[in-house]
Amino acid sequence: MQFRFTTKIKLYIVIGAIFLALVGSYFFLFREQIKQLMTLRGNLQQLETSFAKVKKDEAYLPKLEIEIVESKLKILTTHQHIPPDFDIAKIVDELSQLSNKVGIKDYNALTPLAPAYLKDYGLIPIKVSFTCKYSKFIDYLKGLDSLSFYTRVDDMILKVNETDPELININLSFVVFNMPDPNLK
């Protein structure tokens, strides 16, 4: 008995051969296109990741803009409290007004010393001595923050007054800052 191919089997074989030829040609003929397609898919995933990061960063922009405005305001405020030059008369006047405001009658001494200039700013040392009650001295220290210029207290010596134990003798050293105009250098 010999095996015979029926028309139906021949048709299946032809269809199978055509299918295999198509699949084979697809993989052999379109191999480069398939590689490019895979590369493009990888690039697309990278772009989607980058896009998601950009979207996240973009959502942060309004907050960053607010921080920039706040920082500019702080810089402006700082520049208002750090004058471009030393106005000794104004410094002495404000310190005198402060002492009157907190109830210190007279300074024993108020001595501005020679200014020193560092790389980006200058400072002028000031030595002050006066006698008052401790509570008024605390008010004086707090009042240094309310002046129109920035100060930094470097040294203070407090001693009980020998004639009146309720009073203290105060020797205070502090500096006033300025920021010279860079265009004048």
Side-chain angles (χ1 to χ4, degrees), residues 16-31 34:
I18 291 173
F19 178 75
L20 287 174
L22 287 175
V23 170
S25 66
Y26 177 78
F27 284 111
F28 289 113
L29 295 176
F30 298 113
R31 183 178 352 178
I34 291 172

Side-chain angles (χ1 to χ4, degrees), residues 22-162:
L22 287 175
V23 170
S25 66
Y26 177 78
F27 284 111
F28 289 113
L29 295 176
F30 298 113
R31 183 178 352 178
E32 282 300 314
Q33 286 80 4
I34 291 172
K35 282 183 183 178
Q36 288 176 351
L37 182 62
M38 297 307 273
T39 303
L40 289 174
R41 280 187 185 165
N43 291 344
L44 179 62
Q45 288 176 342
Q46 288 176 344
L47 287 174
E48 287 174 344
T49 303
S50 296
F51 182 71
K53 184 179 182 303
V54 167
K55 283 289 251 185
K56 181 181 174 187
D57 291 346
E58 185 180 21
Y60 184 70
L61 280 177
K63 182 178 178 184
L64 189 59
E65 288 172 346
I66 291 170
E67 288 177 8
I68 289 170
V69 168
E70 289 173 348
S71 295
K72 286 181 179 180
L73 185 60
K74 287 178 184 178
I75 290 170
L76 180 65
T77 303
T78 300
H79 280 286
Q80 289 174 345
H81 282 82
I82 301 179
D85 60 349
F86 290 119
D87 185 352
I88 303 296
K90 182 179 178 184
I91 293 169
V92 169
D93 183 51
E94 284 194 44
L95 289 171
S96 296
Q97 287 178 17
L98 173 61
S99 66
N100 288 336
K101 180 180 173 183
V102 297
I104 297 170
K105 302 294 185 239
D106 290 314
Y107 285 114
N108 298 336
L110 189 149
T111 311
L113 303 173
Y117 293 94
L118 304 173
K119 182 179 178 184
D120 295 325
Y121 63 94
L123 47 92
I124 185 165
I126 298 180
K127 294 197 178 278
V128 177
S129 65
F130 53 90
T131 303
C132 67
K133 290 187 176 185
Y134 183 76
S135 61
K136 292 184 188 243
F137 172 62
I138 297 300
D139 292 339
Y140 183 85
L141 287 177
K142 289 178 184 176
L144 288 176
D145 277 343
S146 67
L147 299 175
S148 68
F149 43 83
Y150 283 137
T151 59
R152 178 188 72 208
V153 175
D154 290 335
D155 187 37
M156 66 176 79
I157 299 171
L158 308 175
K159 292 183 181 177
V160 175
N161 189 305
E162 294 175 5

